[in-house]
Amino acid sequence: MKKLLIAMSITLLFFSCKEKEKKTVKEEPIAQTTEEMVKKNVPFFWEGANIYFLLTDRFNNGNPENDTTLNRTDSTAVLRGFEGGDISGISKKVDEGYFTDLGVNAIWFTPVVEQVHGATNEGSGNTYAYHGYWAKDWTTIDPNFGTKNDLEELVKKAHAKGIRVLLDVVLNHTGPVTEMDPVWPEEWVRTDPKCEFTTYENTTACTLVANLPDILTESDEPVELPDALLAKWKEEGRLSQELDELNLFFERTGYPRAPRFYIIKWLTDYIHEFGVDGFRVDTVKHVNENAWAELRKEADYAFQTWKKKHPDLVLDDQPFYMVGEVYNYGISSGRQFDFGDKKVDYFDFGFSSLINFDLKNDANRDYETVFKKYNKLLNTKLKNKSVLNYLTSHDDGSPFDRGRKKPYITANMLLLTPGASQIYYGDETSRPLNVIGAEGDANLRSYMNWEDLDSIPAVKKVHEHWQKLGRFRANHPAVGAGKHKRLSKKPYVFSRTLVNGDFKDKVVIALDLPKGKKSLNVKGFFGDGTKLYETYSGTEVIVQKGKVLLENNFDTALIELMEQ
């Protein structure tokens, strides 16, 4: 079924596009891709994290028994219904070492809280809340995605492999109104006007789209819990527990029982219960910014409380991480987002990082121009802060390489640009972004193309390149969090250096190399006689007269100090 939806032939795509990309064919076998390849005792820095972002419903089906729940049986438009992916499917890929082999050290997946039960009709057919952004009940997991036990297991398994877990959280809106899902009380939400996005006011105090009730996040007025939610909790046998927990929360914090504080309590419960490491926050610019500072305050409290209760499970002393989706924010803007009539510095309101919408355009330029720009901004305007770079996403209809014609350039630009990186599921396997019959963002959300990875050699080659770069990045925080310097223009060779307390990391990377013999300049960075290891080809080398000599058919070199 899923194969029939694919709008292009992957095989033909790769053979036709390799010429356009002007990349040398990777003729030699990849080094061993096992968990043992990942170096031990490498500190983790969110500023250089390699984050894998996936749609929970579209990645991997770990439990077919939950494919259809809550009577979600109506037919839907193409890729607008549930496809079977779930939390346990992510856990299985953690077990298999898929993320480790890709150098991933954090996983972000779309929201898994209980979604509206019914479907909406957007003109071309029904749409269910497969994407997770239509919350009905923040206090529990949607049965199509799994259970709280599944989430607990995922966090434990990920942590056991040194992988952090980010929950995707929504404070801005509920799910739409359907025949099965009544609107929340007017004390909780507004249903108009629709946002115009031209001023601060008509970007925050409005609904994103029609029939997406907007939480009154600016209100401090106490409200009662909706009758429908109370009835639901009573039917599920947990009414007393939920009410008791709310009483304790409001007694401890002193917050008014306003809408946003209920939701902040419900969201941070997942930190208290499972020790998740961070939040990716949805629709940031559509909420008054003080709400994010309040969310961060409670998230920090929950994270520290969890660590004290589970000292044997703590990964390190990194603080809670909060990255925001301020739609159309770009690194070029520095710390502030401009609404036209008001500027907001979201870094001052709890955010460790913001998603960077600039790279998809910057990536059309040469490597050095991009790397130099990002290095400068991250060490000046954004010093001690970070951005999360991406080239493909679930709701950006203008990705860098929609036709998947430049998979190697995509990997190089994403994984080697200073800052944190966000791999969108299938970037590493050239999952198609155009699907027959799909409309709008559904094209970006097809099921993960595992079959292609197993059966198409060209896809496997691309995947191997992503693995090599990803593992090198994970093993060397300097790649994403360090300072960049060009060592030579042709061949293109550059260094990355990170010094943080007692930790020092330095590497050399070369791109667009010729086949056969090549001489790489490392003068002034690695001294003569230094023993180095070129990880892309698996070659030991020694610096002689400021040069490293290689002979292979790879166009990429990843050079590190030999372990003593």
Side-chain angles (χ1 to χ4, degrees):
M1 176 66 179
K2 289 159 189 158
K3 289 184 177 180
L4 294 177
L5 294 173
I6 304 303
M8 60 191 76
S9 166
I10 298 288
T11 307
L12 291 177
L13 173 66
F14 274 95
F15 284 118
S16 65
C17 294
K18 293 292 282 181
E19 282 296 316
K20 295 179 183 178
E21 195 178 1
K22 298 181 181 179
K23 289 286 172 182
T24 55
V25 177
K26 309 294 186 294
E27 297 173 348
E28 301 178 36
I30 191 171
Q32 185 181 12
T33 57
T34 63
E35 187 174 355
E36 286 71 33
M37 289 293 293
V38 177
K39 292 183 177 180
K40 307 299 181 185
N41 302 319
V42 176
F44 173 80
F45 299 92
W46 280 110
E47 295 83 357
N50 192 20
I51 300 173
Y52 194 96
F53 168 39
L54 60 92
L55 261 71
T56 308
D57 178 66
R58 301 293 161 86
F59 184 65
N60 190 43
N61 193 346
N63 179 15
E65 293 183 4
N66 64 21
D67 288 1
T68 302
T69 69
L70 301 175
N71 199 33
R72 292 166 171 153
T73 56
D74 291 343
S75 61
T76 66
V78 174
L79 287 174
R80 295 285 183 180
F82 287 89
E83 297 272 320
D86 49 32
I87 298 169
S88 62
I90 305 172
S91 290
K92 287 188 176 182
K93 289 300 177 180
V94 171
D95 285 339
E96 292 172 12
Y98 182 79
F99 299 106
T100 301
D101 290 344
L102 197 58
V104 167
N105 43 31
I107 302 171
W108 149 31
F109 44 93
T110 47
V112 293
V113 300
E114 186 174 337
Q115 301 292 290
V116 294
H117 296 186
T120 65
N121 191 301
E122 300 178 0
S124 58
N126 289 321
T127 297
Y128 280 114
Y130 68 90
H131 45 67
Y133 294 100
W134 291 351
K136 181 184 181 75
D137 184 351
W138 278 271
T139 68
T140 192
I141 304 297
D142 192 284
N144 263 86
F145 301 137
T147 65
K148 283 192 174 183
N149 287 338
D150 292 334
L151 181 57
E152 181 178 26
E153 180 179 312
L154 171 57
V155 175
K156 286 181 177 179
K157 288 187 172 186
H159 283 179
K161 291 182 179 286
I163 299 172
R164 277 73 180 166
V165 173
L166 300 181
L167 288 191
D168 200 327
V169 299
V170 182
L171 180 61
N172 172 245
H173 56 270
T174 68
V177 180
T178 77
E179 291 183 3
M180 301 171 65
D181 308 285
V183 67
W184 286 56
E186 61 181 10
E187 295 83 10
W188 278 78
V189 300
R190 62 171 66 84
T191 54
D192 60 59
K194 283 176 57 178
C195 294
E196 298 176 21
F197 314 115
T198 58
T199 68
Y200 178 84
E201 184 72 16
N202 69 32
T203 301
T204 57
C206 49
T207 65
L208 287 174
V209 295
N211 194 25
L212 195 62
D214 183 75
I215 297 290
L216 299 174
T217 52
E218 75 279 13
S219 173
D220 288 326
E221 291 299 314
V223 296
E224 298 294 328
L225 288 163
D227 290 340
L229 188 61
L230 293 171
K232 178 179 181 295
W233 288 349
K234 184 175 182 179
E235 182 180 349
E236 295 169 353
R238 56 193 180 96
L239 177 61
S240 295
Q241 177 187 345
E242 294 295 341
L243 294 179
D244 288 346
E245 289 184 6
L246 283 168
N247 287 336
L248 290 173
F249 173 79
F250 285 111
E251 287 173 8
R252 176 181 66 80
T253 63
Y255 294 135
R257 292 182 179 240
R260 70 181 183 277
F261 293 114
Y262 283 98
I263 302 174
I264 286 173
K265 186 270 181 190
W266 296 331
L267 292 174
T268 54
D269 278 350
Y270 294 98
I271 310 171
H272 278 288
E273 291 182 52
F274 308 122
V276 298
D277 306 276
F279 285 160
R280 178 271 183 182
V281 183
D282 186 61
T283 53
V284 167
K285 70 179 182 181
H286 302 287
V287 173
N288 46 305
E289 57 272 19
N290 64 286
W292 301 130
E294 292 158 347
L295 174 64
R296 177 59 186 265
K297 178 182 178 181
E298 293 310 313
D300 285 342
Y301 175 84
F303 199 45
Q304 291 305 315
T305 300
W306 182 85
K307 284 184 172 183
K308 289 177 182 177
K309 289 182 177 180
H310 306 88
D312 55 325
L313 299 178
V314 175
L315 288 175
D316 54 33
D317 60 357
Q318 286 286 336
F320 190 79
Y321 178 73
M322 209 162 89
V323 58
E325 180 226 21
V326 179
Y327 207 86
N328 284 334
Y329 164 83
I331 189 173
S332 301
S333 302
R335 289 182 61 122
Q336 294 188 321
F337 181 81
D338 190 354
F339 284 88
D341 62 341
K342 179 180 178 178
K343 293 182 179 180
V344 176
D345 181 350
Y346 288 101
F347 292 103
D348 276 346
F349 292 91
F351 286 99
S352 317
S353 180
L354 297 180
I355 294 174
N356 171 39
F357 286 72
D358 277 357
L359 187 61
K360 64 173 186 170
N361 296 317
D362 288 338
N364 290 299
R365 309 173 78 180
D366 64 274
Y367 294 125
E368 178 60 19
T369 297
V370 178
F371 297 165
K372 184 178 179 181
K373 169 187 174 180
Y374 281 57
N375 178 71
K376 180 180 180 180
L377 289 170
L378 288 169
N379 287 286
T380 53
K381 290 183 179 180
L382 290 167
K383 191 171 180 63
N384 299 321
K385 297 295 180 181
S386 186
V387 294
L388 178 56
N389 299 316
Y390 80 94
L391 291 175
T392 317
S393 188
H394 63 317
D395 57 5
D396 188 336
S398 302
F400 166 62
D401 180 29
R402 182 149 199 158
R404 299 297 200 187
K405 297 178 181 180
K406 298 180 282 190
Y408 294 95
I409 291 175
T410 299
N412 295 344
M413 195 63 78
L414 179 64
L415 298 179
L416 301 179
T417 294
S421 56
Q422 174 225 292
I423 302 172
Y424 184 46
Y425 78 109
D427 280 350
E428 76 279 20
T429 56
S430 291
R431 178 180 58 83
L433 301 175
N434 291 300
V435 178
I436 293 174
E439 295 182 5
D441 53 22
N443 280 285
L444 309 170
R445 305 173 179 182
S446 60
Y447 207 85
M448 179 64 175
N449 57 330
W450 298 113
E451 298 90 347
D452 296 335
L453 182 57
D454 293 335
S455 62
I456 300 176
V459 173
K460 186 173 179 61
K461 287 290 185 183
V462 167
H463 186 242
E464 290 171 352
H465 181 71
W466 282 80
Q467 286 180 317
K468 288 185 177 184
L469 262 62
R471 289 201 309 277
F472 191 75
R473 180 186 174 94
N475 290 336
H476 293 286
V479 175
K483 291 187 177 181
H484 168 86
K485 182 180 180 180
R486 184 172 68 183
L487 300 180
S488 72
K489 187 173 182 180
K490 192 170 183 180
Y492 179 51
V493 183
F494 60 92
S495 66
R496 296 283 167 82
T497 307
L498 176 64
V499 178
N500 188 289
D502 294 333
F503 176 74
K504 296 181 180 179
D505 186 30
K506 54 190 299 186
V507 297
V508 167
I509 300 171
L511 300 173
D512 294 338
L513 297 173
K515 287 185 178 182
K517 294 182 179 179
K518 40 230 169 192
S519 175
L520 309 183
N521 175 48
V522 296
K523 187 176 182 180
F525 193 74
F526 289 130
D528 284 357
T530 304
K531 294 181 180 180
L532 303 173
Y533 186 69
E534 198 289 289
T535 68
Y536 202 96
S537 62
T539 306
E540 296 180 13
V541 293
I542 297 178
V543 180
Q544 296 179 331
K545 297 181 179 180
K547 303 284 186 181
V548 168
L549 302 179
L550 296 171
E551 184 172 2
N552 57 49
N553 288 331
F554 294 122
D555 60 6
T556 302
L558 307 172
I559 301 172
E560 62 186 1
L561 285 164
M562 285 283 290
E563 292 188 65
Q564 301 300 316

